[in-house]
Each structure stands twice: as structure tokens, then as C-alpha cells.
Amino acid sequence: MSTKILTCSFFLLTGVLSQHAGYTLTASAFVSVQRGLDVHIPCQFTYNKQHVNNFSTFYGYWFKSKEEPFQCASVPSQSKPDLLVTTNKEGQTIKESTKNRIHLDGDLEQGNCSFWINDAQLEDEGSYYFRVEQGNILKYSFYHKTLQVFMTGKHLLY
Ligand SMILES: *[C@@H]1O[C@H](CO)[C@@H](O)[C@H](O)[C@H]1NC(C)=O
Ligand SMILES: *[C@@H]1O[C@H](CO)[C@@H](O)[C@H](O)[C@H]1NC(C)=O
């Protein structure tokens, strides 16, 4: 067993799952998208209501993991930061090629993390995870619940 997998299991068992009761995310684990088309990806999450600060905005973030699909994406890597592909928070650095193509469209407060991929591109293939922030306490990345995007129609010429 590789060190990586061991590190991964350790992180999952000790970190995310046990300490953050109330946080769940429901979305398809695998999404197939046809190249060049638009797709809406439904997603729902729950958060710990006790972490809510009533006067703050909810911010949602989708990250594309630098890890290859099917590998553990749970351990954030210092050397290869994950790429932010969309957020409703102003002033964030978003991956240039997805800036106007990928966007959140749900009500975050209602636990809606759905998003659109428009004009799907080959580079959109990969592993994604969601992060929610609200106020000072509610900050959570759903590392353990990744969504894999696959592209069909790869060989079509444009
Ligand atoms: C936040 O809002 C809920 C529901 O409206 C209320 O019960 C609670 O007391 C509020 N908390 C604070 C810190 O204002
Ligand atoms: C999430 O938001 C989208 C876009 O507004 C909407 O179409 C969808 O029905 C919402 N999902 C749920 C479960 O409310």
C-alpha cells in the first residue's frame, strides 16, 4: 500500500468525518458531459446550523482537484494547489478558462450547490469538490465527496 493511500485513509478517519457532524453532500459521483454542450449538475449539501452567523453571506466554491481521477483527493497538496473554477465570492482568482463557463446557480443557504458547465471542454474532465463558507466558523470543504466529470465526444473536431 502506498504512503499516499495510508495518508488518505488517516485523514478521512481522523479529520473530516468525525469533526464535522452535520455536513453532508449529495451529488452524482460521476457525471458524463458531451464536449461543447452545456450541462447542469445537481448538488445538495447540509451544514451545521450551529455554525451559522446570521448576518453573513453564504459563499460556495467548486475546486478542480490537481489529483488524477480515482486517486485520493483528500489531502490538500502544497505543491499543487487545486484550481478554483467558480465561486460567488468577489475578488477570487478563478481558473481563466472556466471563468465564464462554469457557474453556481443554486441557493447556497438552502444547501444547493448545483452548478453549470457551459460549452464543456476536454480540460473540464477530472475530479471536483465543493467548499462552503459563511461567517467565521462555517468553513468546510467536502474533500471526501468528489464528483468526477467525464467528457464524451472527445474525438469530434471543431
Ligand atoms: C439566528 O437566527 C435564528 C433564526 O432566525 C435565531 O433563532 C437565532 O437566535 C439567531 N442567532 C443569532 C446569533 O442572532
Ligand atoms: C437547486 O437550484 C437549481 C437552480 O436554481 C434548481 O433548478 C434546483 O431545483 C435546485 N434544487 C433543489 C433541490 O432545490
Side-chain angles (χ1 to χ4, degrees), residues 12-155:
L12 286 178
L13 291 172
T14 59
V16 177
L17 298 179
S18 55
Q19 284 175 14
H20 298 277
Y23 291 86
T24 64
L25 186 139
T26 310
S28 296
F30 302 98
V31 177
S32 176
V33 182
Q34 189 165 346
R35 189 178 165 194
L37 296 190
D38 302 339
V39 64
H40 184 248
I41 300 173
C43 172
Q44 287 291 123
F45 70 101
T46 63
Y47 50 88
N48 188 330
K49 299 272 192 307
Q50 292 176 349
H51 292 169
V52 172
N53 171 332
N54 287 1
F55 306 106
S56 297
T57 309
F58 276 78
Y59 296 111
Y61 306 78
W62 276 101
F63 288 92
K64 187 166 189 289
S65 176
K66 284 275 194 160
E67 305 280 349
E68 293 302 311
F70 304 117
Q71 293 185 346
C72 177
S74 300
V75 180
S77 159
Q78 294 293 328
S79 55
K80 284 182 156 189
D82 295 333
L83 297 168
L84 178 61
V85 296
T86 186
T87 179
N88 61 326
K89 186 164 187 179
E90 302 279 316
Q92 305 299 298
T93 305
I94 298 177
K95 190 175 188 288
E96 197 58 42
S97 57
T98 63
K99 207 173 254 179
N100 301 311
R101 293 190 303 106
I102 300 185
H103 56 92
L104 288 157
D105 79 328
D107 182 341
L108 294 165
E109 191 165 353
Q110 297 300 316
N112 192 326
C113 41
S114 307
F115 67 107
W116 279 94
I117 298 179
N118 295 124
D119 186 20
Q121 300 296 314
L122 275 182
E123 61 171 271
D124 299 341
E125 270 198 331
S127 177
Y128 293 78
Y129 63 88
F130 181 69
R131 176 174 174 82
V132 60
E133 288 181 1
Q134 198 266 5
N136 295 328
I137 300 169
L138 202 166
K139 292 171 192 274
Y140 189 81
S141 294
F142 295 86
Y143 292 126
H144 59 294
K145 198 72 204 255
T146 58
L147 185 150
Q148 311 287 339
V149 172
F150 294 96
M151 207 59 49
T152 60
K154 280 182 196 179
H155 305 297

